[in-house]
Amino acid sequence: MMTTYHLRNVDCPACAAGLERGLRKIEGVRAVSIDFGTLSMRVDAADLKAVESAVRNLEPLVTFSRVLAEAPGRPTAEADFDLKREIQPLALATAAGCLGLVLVNFTHREGAASIGLGLLAFAYLVSGWKVLLGAARNMVRGRLFDELFLMSIATLGAIAIGQYEEAVGVMVFYSIGELLQHSAASRSRASIRSLLDLRPDFARLRRAGSWVEVQPEEAVPGDEFLVKPGERLPLDGQVIEGEAFLDSSPITGESMPRRAQPGATVLAGSVSLDGVLVIRATRGAGESSAARIATLVESAAHLKARTERWVTAFARIYTPIVVAMAAAIAFLPPLLVAGQGLREWCYRALVMLVISCPCALVVSVPLGYFGGIGGAARRGILVKGSQVFDALAACKAVAFDKTGTLTRGSFSVRSITAAPGRTSDEVLAWAAAAESLSRHPIAASLRAEAESRSLSIGTEDEASEVRELPGAGIAARIGGRLVLAGNERLLELEGVAHPKHEGGDTLVLVALDGEYAGSIALGDEPKSDAREAIRALRALGVGRLAMITGDSSPVAQRVATEVGIAEVHAELLPEGKLEVLGRMIREVGGARGSTVFVGDGVNDAPVLALADVGIAMGAGSDAAVQTADIVLLTDEPSRVAEAIARARRTRRIVAQNIVFALGIKAAFLAMGAIGVAVMWEAVIADVGVALLAVANSLRAMK
Ligand code: ADP
Ligand code: MG
């Protein structure tokens, strides 16, 4: 089982990566991953105590808190960083530095100047002791070339060439910048997390006849709880008393409030708008949909996008390269060209070292993805990893399943044709009985229709020996009789003769003991936003839109025309769907684009897994929700276009950050090399870039 920790005081991605490598070596650790963007760690280990003490050994300054297993991913809404306390010593250092500066430069008395130098040294040590110590510790461990190391040699170098004020300025600015950046990043994380914190912190449970307020984690399935108007539901459950309009938009993004009555299934995180409800909990707090969303988003950040991995890898080779370049700049010109001062070129090299620190990149990129994932989750679009965003942004083709995805999947019975000697009620009753265990939308519709006509097959026997043939139908034995309900393919498979049918309705043929008994014509309408969904995808420039369905050609054609899809593949078994999608992926992938499949998970879990991005509609099967890359909590196909738009936006923001950060760095590196930039300007530019990039990342959430 994975346990999640929130970490504090992790200074750099290299430290995070080093910690991760260190923990991996410990016995009993099956998996560990540390994400610098969310500052969280996920471990799967036999002995968590051993892991915790190893963290203390490896990184003594890092503190951590365990996210309770009973409430996985319960987000810490408050920022995990105390800016006020951290800034005090730096304010002192700044004041001492300024005073020292004045005394050294503007007084001519010998004694005052030495006091000034003393103040500068004091400021340098107060602001920089953590940096120097950290660099020394990392050097002992063989971890050269991190940003602490860069700052230490840059400032020590400045002192060596007599630039005391520069050294102090750089150290103070760098430390203040680090603080601001940590605090901005921590605030961003907290606000993304609080967006996801949909659960109230108490549940009003019925205990011994009265209502008592307890932690939601204390509730077990079966407990009854009370929700007043305006309150959030703490747990998933079923309404047993009362009526209210429920706003489930925080969970599913569905904008219309829905009436909840006794019997209705309701989700934690939704808000009762106007009524008092008594609800029986169906799941513990840790398993509620809201909890699962939060967990999913947190763990999604650990599945790295290629861009993120690139940035980390880049940061690792980048620093040594800059150090080598700086060394070359410091020593080559004075050696090769006569009359060039060592001191001047050393200074330029030090400016380069200062500017080279890659913090803006390594913080803002993962944070951008986290914001994108969090923002999508708020709209009922659960993305299972940053890398899904990359694939989704490159989407060139979308294939839809028909039933339950583009169409409502709640069929109305249009007409029933009975074979000679049978009644239509009889045909419907047998079909409904055979379908009693199926999860296919057709099954639910037949059962509902039989119930509304109060039909029964006159035997108490339940369906047994049920065989569901995906893409064909169902076979079951009831009261000793063999019942078939499905399409023409099913009856052909079972060797039952039947009349041929034409027309635009989905047909369920029924056979009793190997003899054709009649057929039920079912109508299924496209969802209200299906047409709009297709139009929106076209508007996004997705060139290829297709329908892949197991239903008959005429029905598929009719629905496709209604929603505006030109490419139709019909009458497919699950294997056939795989083949068609595989071909699409090969054709589209040639031009470096990805193929998305959208399904409801009934008979299409394998296709969901095969697609570059599999999107499952919320009501679908658990298997689909497991295999899909994205789960839509609402049944609206229009969310597909929204997901693509969000993915592209997130990618754009991440790209902006990369270009912006590297651009500014390149400019300052050049200016440092030709001797235009001074050291403290370089630090301020670096801090500014980092802060802007972090702020920009937050936009991915909107
Ligand atoms: P789609 O790809 O449109 O979602 P499916 O692959 O789920 O369709 O099913 C294809 C066809 O197989 C259905 O149109 C129906 O004719 C038949 N079928 C599948 N399952 C059942 C069932 N449980 N009862 C009756 N017919 C079924
Ligand atoms: Mg389907």
Side-chain angles (χ1 to χ4, degrees):
M1 212 200 54
M2 281 284 184
T3 309
T4 306
Y5 290 86
H6 286 164
L7 306 176
R8 293 172 198 191
N9 295 336
V10 180
D11 285 323
C12 56
C15 319
L19 184 58
E20 193 182 285
R21 271 197 303 277
L23 292 178
R24 207 165 277 147
K25 289 194 197 111
I26 297 172
E27 209 169 314
V29 172
R30 286 180 286 270
V32 56
S33 114
I34 296 179
D35 177 51
F36 192 65
T38 54
L39 274 191
S40 62
M41 168 172 84
R42 284 164 58 76
V43 259
D44 181 8
D47 183 5
L48 287 175
K49 284 271 167 305
V51 174
E52 289 174 14
S53 65
V55 173
R56 278 187 210 107
N57 272 334
L58 290 166
E59 291 286 345
L61 292 179
V62 168
T63 57
F64 49 85
S65 56
R66 183 150 150 202
V67 181
L68 284 183
E70 307 82 66
R74 179 180 275 282
T76 40
E78 78 278 7
D80 48 13
F81 192 79
D82 187 357
L83 183 62
K84 263 210 203 93
R85 212 191 55 213
E86 305 271 341
I87 204 113
Q88 279 163 9
L90 290 182
L92 182 67
T94 311
C98 290
L99 192 58
L101 195 78
V102 171
L103 288 180
V104 169
N105 289 307
F106 302 107
T107 55
H108 302 289
R109 295 248 297 280
E110 194 60 29
S114 11
I115 293 178
L117 277 182
L119 282 172
L120 284 180
F122 173 76
Y124 179 73
L125 290 176
V126 167
S127 59
W129 69 271
K130 269 190 191 162
V131 177
L132 296 170
L133 210 69
R137 224 184 43 232
N138 288 347
M139 247 161 79
V140 171
R141 292 215 198 107
R143 218 159 59 207
L144 280 177
F145 303 131
D146 61 354
E147 46 180 276
L148 300 181
F149 173 78
L150 285 181
M151 286 303 147
S152 301
I153 52 167
T155 51
L156 290 174
I159 291 174
I161 58 173
Q163 301 276 5
Y164 305 122
E165 300 98 312
E166 289 278 317
V168 175
V170 166
M171 202 50 114
V172 169
F173 283 135
Y174 171 75
S175 299
I176 292 180
E178 280 294 284
L179 267 193
L180 290 180
Q181 187 190 317
H182 275 276
S183 122
S186 127
R187 219 144 351 124
S188 310
R189 273 191 291 275
S191 71
I192 296 169
R193 284 189 175 128
S194 71
L195 261 188
L196 297 170
D197 191 9
L198 306 163
R199 290 155 292 167
D201 32 23
F202 70 93
R204 204 179 284 108
L205 296 189
R206 197 200 293 276
R207 287 280 152 85
S210 59
W211 299 109
V212 288
E213 290 183 9
V214 300
Q215 297 250 311
E217 283 73 27
E218 286 178 28
V220 293
D223 276 347
E224 289 173 15
F225 61 97
L226 182 98
V227 177
K228 295 184 180 168
E231 287 181 353
R232 271 184 205 288
L233 274 53
L235 305 156
D236 289 358
Q238 200 169 34
V239 178
I240 51 180
E241 261 176 67
E243 259 186 46
F245 273 109
L246 270 193
D247 173 10
S248 63
S249 61
I251 297 281
T252 61
E254 187 166 321
S255 44
M256 282 289 285
R258 260 200 306 211
R259 194 99 193 126
Q261 287 165 327
T265 307
V266 290
L267 297 180
S270 33
V271 180
S272 163
L273 294 178
D274 57 351
V276 175
L277 295 173
V278 177
I279 301 166
R280 181 177 296 120
T282 47
R283 297 195 190 108
E287 281 99 56
S288 75
S289 344
R292 276 183 304 177
I293 293 175
T295 319
L296 211 129
V297 173
E298 289 280 341
S299 50
H302 287 257
L303 297 170
K304 296 278 169 247
R306 211 178 321 133
T307 329
E308 280 174 277
R309 287 198 301 262
W310 177 83
V311 163
T312 320
F314 175 79
R316 272 180 87 160
I317 54 159
Y318 166 85
T319 343
I321 289 180
V322 172
V323 172
M325 269 168 57
I329 290 221
F331 300 114
L332 286 187
L335 276 181
L336 300 180
V337 187
Q340 293 291 340
L342 181 64
R343 195 173 259 259
E344 164 65 13
W345 285 97
C346 270
Y347 182 79
R348 292 182 188 183
L350 294 177
V351 174
M352 283 185 64
L353 288 185
V354 171
I355 189 66
S356 68
C357 155
C359 0
L361 275 186
V362 288
V363 179
S364 70
V365 169
L367 205 56
Y369 279 109
F370 188 44
I373 291 172
R378 274 287 285 189
R379 297 276 301 153
I381 303 166
L382 300 187
V383 182
K384 292 205 189 151
S386 320
Q387 88 280 24
V388 175
F389 266 160
D390 284 3
L392 196 60
C395 167
K396 288 270 164 56
V398 180
F400 285 92
D401 169 53
K402 179 183 74 73
T403 317
T405 304
L406 285 173
T407 65
R408 294 216 175 93
S410 61
F411 295 83
S412 54
V413 172
R414 290 250 166 89
S415 62
I416 304 179
T417 320
R422 304 268 177 207
T423 68
S424 52
D425 278 357
E426 201 182 345
V427 172
L428 178 61
W430 282 108
E435 299 273 15
S436 61
L437 294 177
S438 169
R439 296 197 54 162
H440 201 276
I442 290 182
S445 312
L446 290 179
R447 287 198 301 264
E449 179 70 16
E451 208 168 290
S452 78
R453 299 192 191 184
S454 329
L455 296 179
S456 94
I457 44 165
T459 141
E460 291 304 300
D461 291 12
E462 293 188 347
S464 59
E465 296 174 33
V466 180
R467 278 180 296 140
E468 181 139 22
L469 301 141
I474 206 150
R477 195 166 282 286
I478 307 167
R481 309 189 65 172
L482 177 66
V483 188
L484 301 178
N487 53 20
E488 297 190 338
R489 180 183 283 128
L490 177 72
L491 270 65
E492 270 145 32
L493 271 171
E494 301 285 316
V496 178
H498 58 89
K500 281 265 165 264
H501 290 274
E502 308 269 299
D505 280 338
T506 302
L507 270 192
V508 177
L509 309 183
V510 183
L512 276 175
D513 290 329
E515 204 173 302
Y516 173 73
S519 67
I520 306 166
L522 298 170
D524 186 14
E525 296 310 309
K527 289 180 182 167
S528 57
D529 66 334
R531 232 194 128 70
E532 169 57 25
I534 301 300
R535 208 194 50 75
L537 285 172
R538 283 237 167 72
L540 283 175
V542 178
R544 191 162 170 193
L545 296 166
M547 178 194 280
I548 300 184
T549 176
D551 208 345
S552 72
S553 264
V555 185
Q557 276 301 343
R558 179 177 62 82
V559 175
T561 318
E562 274 176 48
V563 302
I565 291 181
E567 183 179 343
V568 180
H569 306 272
E571 297 179 18
L572 295 167
L573 289 173
E575 304 84 284
K577 291 184 179 180
L578 274 177
E579 211 180 287
V580 170
L581 188 74
R583 207 162 49 227
M584 259 179 99
I585 293 175
R586 277 195 303 279
E587 285 160 13
V588 172
R592 281 185 50 81
S594 64
T595 304
V596 173
F597 179 81
V598 191
D600 66 344
V602 180
N603 293 343
D604 49 24
V607 211
L608 280 171
L610 174 68
D612 294 321
V613 180
I615 303 186
M617 298 267 178
S621 65
D622 287 347
V625 170
Q626 293 275 328
T627 46
D629 301 302
I630 295 180
V631 178
L632 300 180
L633 292 178
T634 59
D635 281 346
E636 298 157 314
S638 52
R639 291 293 158 92
V640 175
E642 182 181 338
I644 294 177
R646 277 177 180 276
R648 287 193 187 160
R649 188 178 148 82
T650 303
R651 293 263 310 162
R652 208 160 46 232
I653 287 171
V654 166
Q656 278 165 6
N657 282 348
I658 293 178
V659 170
F660 178 56
L662 288 185
I664 298 275
K665 300 246 144 183
F668 266 86
L669 280 179
M671 278 158 68
I674 58 172
V676 181
V678 294
M679 218 186 254
W680 60 268
E681 283 173 352
V683 183
I684 291 188
D686 182 55
V687 170
V689 172
L691 288 180
L692 283 175
V694 166
N696 193 30
S697 299
L698 259 192
R699 293 197 308 126
M701 191 173 71
K702 302 276 155 56

